[in-house]
Amino acid sequence: AHGETVKLFRAMKLKGKIGFAFDIVPKLPYTQSDEDKKTARLANVLTQRFFYEGVLKGKYPEEAEEFFKSKNAVSPVLDGDMEIVTEKCDFFGLNYYLTQVVRYKKGEGDIDCEYVRRKDFPYCSEAEWEIDPEGLYDLLLQIKSDTEDSMPIIITENGICYDDILTENKEINDDKRLEYIKLHIGAMEKAIESGVKVIGYTCWSAFDNFEWNNGFSKRFGLIYVDFDTQERYIKKSGKWYRDFIKKQTEEY
């Protein structure tokens, strides 16, 4: 479907650029033991590389194919499929929120993999995430390497949810979200300085909205939405982001 859409976009000679967006949660080994490193590598292969290497390289990772065969499963690739899948795109879209630590545990899930919380990392209880801006920097460098330094990157989603409280003065002082955004923009800037071709960044999200898994219970917006009245109020993070964009635009 992706490849056929890109072909149609080109055939229609539409203005603009077209690409894909992957939601990537890097998996890091809990220890440097061979078992933990192998578990983390397989987890990354199955949740990340299996998808974008198909698009970028026209084949799936050997580790993934070997794993599926061990489970008596085969990837249903038909003649001509990969030629369609690999239609050339203009950018690599990246949704990044967090990293996860994994370790080997026999019998846990499909790949003997257990998720482990890092006690020394900032933790968002509302999202149940460990916050890792440095992980964004590492991932951007990894994508640069995987795409052979040839594809621009757009960070298509990056943000976090908190239990925002609307004060009597109609203000939302979401300092934790603001710090999250600042740290991740800093990691992106560091990656750009290291030679990564990042050409865009978008926060998730402009407004509090309906989240796939959580309905209206999780607020990711830079703008607070009263779901009963539909009134909107710009949060502290939104005001900072507005001013930040204005300054960047003027400097550019």
Side-chain angles (χ1 to χ4, degrees):
H2 161 76
E4 292 287 6
T5 302
V6 176
K7 287 173 63 177
L8 182 60
F9 181 87
R10 305 291 188 211
M12 294 175 69
K13 301 186 183 303
L14 298 172
K15 294 182 179 180
K17 297 183 183 296
I18 190 168
F20 46 77
F22 290 108
D23 185 73
I24 297 181
V25 181
K27 307 298 189 289
L28 309 175
Y30 182 64
T31 71
Q32 291 304 303
S33 71
D34 290 342
E35 286 184 333
D36 282 358
K37 289 193 292 185
K38 182 178 179 180
T39 297
R41 178 175 176 81
L42 182 58
N44 283 316
V45 166
L46 296 178
T47 63
Q48 300 164 32
R49 287 178 47 209
F50 179 77
F51 297 96
Y52 69 71
E53 284 195 13
V55 175
L56 297 175
K57 300 182 179 182
K59 62 179 181 180
Y60 296 114
E62 291 182 8
E63 299 100 312
E65 299 288 8
E66 291 171 1
F67 172 77
F68 292 136
K69 288 178 181 177
S70 74
K71 300 293 183 180
N72 297 316
V74 179
S75 301
V77 179
L78 304 179
D79 289 343
D81 276 357
M82 300 316 293
E83 286 76 8
I84 298 173
V85 170
T86 52
E87 279 291 322
K88 185 173 177 57
C89 293
D90 299 313
F91 64 85
F92 186 116
L94 169 63
N95 299 348
Y96 177 87
Y97 293 92
L98 70 155
T99 59
Q100 293 175 325
V101 167
V102 298
R103 67 183 174 192
Y104 173 80
K105 184 177 181 181
K106 187 172 179 57
E108 184 74 19
D110 294 325
I111 61 172
D112 301 324
C113 175
E114 177 184 41
Y115 291 91
V116 185
R117 182 181 165 191
R118 294 165 287 188
K119 301 298 184 183
D120 58 332
F121 268 60
Y123 186 71
C124 175
S125 58
E126 290 88 346
E128 298 182 348
W129 292 348
E130 294 169 40
I131 301 169
D132 185 8
E134 193 68 19
L136 174 59
Y137 171 77
D138 294 337
L139 180 56
L140 288 170
L141 261 63
Q142 175 192 320
I143 295 171
K144 177 178 182 288
S145 175
D146 289 344
T147 59
E148 298 179 351
D149 197 23
S150 62
M151 185 173 289
I153 300 170
I154 299 176
I155 298 174
T156 38
E157 289 185 24
N158 176 242
I160 197 163
C161 68
Y162 285 106
D163 294 335
D164 299 314
I165 298 174
L166 184 65
T167 68
E168 292 181 358
N169 297 326
K170 306 300 183 183
E171 296 178 342
I172 302 95
N173 296 313
D174 56 336
D175 294 290
K176 291 182 178 179
R177 178 180 293 106
L178 175 53
E179 182 68 10
Y180 177 97
I181 293 170
K182 286 182 177 179
L183 289 172
H184 285 78
I185 288 177
M188 175 186 67
E189 290 177 332
K190 179 181 172 183
I192 292 171
E193 292 170 357
S194 297
V196 182
K197 297 177 183 176
V198 182
I199 62 171
Y201 173 90
T202 53
C203 279
W204 186 266
S205 174
F207 297 87
D208 294 332
N209 59 8
F210 187 91
E211 291 291 328
W212 284 13
N213 293 328
N214 302 294
F216 294 114
S217 67
K218 302 295 185 185
R219 294 181 179 271
F220 280 84
L222 300 175
I223 299 171
Y224 182 95
V225 178
D226 185 321
F227 295 122
D228 294 324
T229 66
Q230 291 301 303
E231 291 181 283
R232 289 99 194 277
Y233 307 92
I234 302 177
K235 302 175 187 179
K236 186 175 181 178
S237 62
K239 293 175 181 177
W240 177 88
Y241 193 59
R242 172 197 62 197
D243 296 341
F244 174 77
I245 290 173
K246 182 179 180 181
K247 181 180 179 182
Q248 299 301 312
T249 303
E250 291 172 349
E251 291 180 356
Y252 181 79

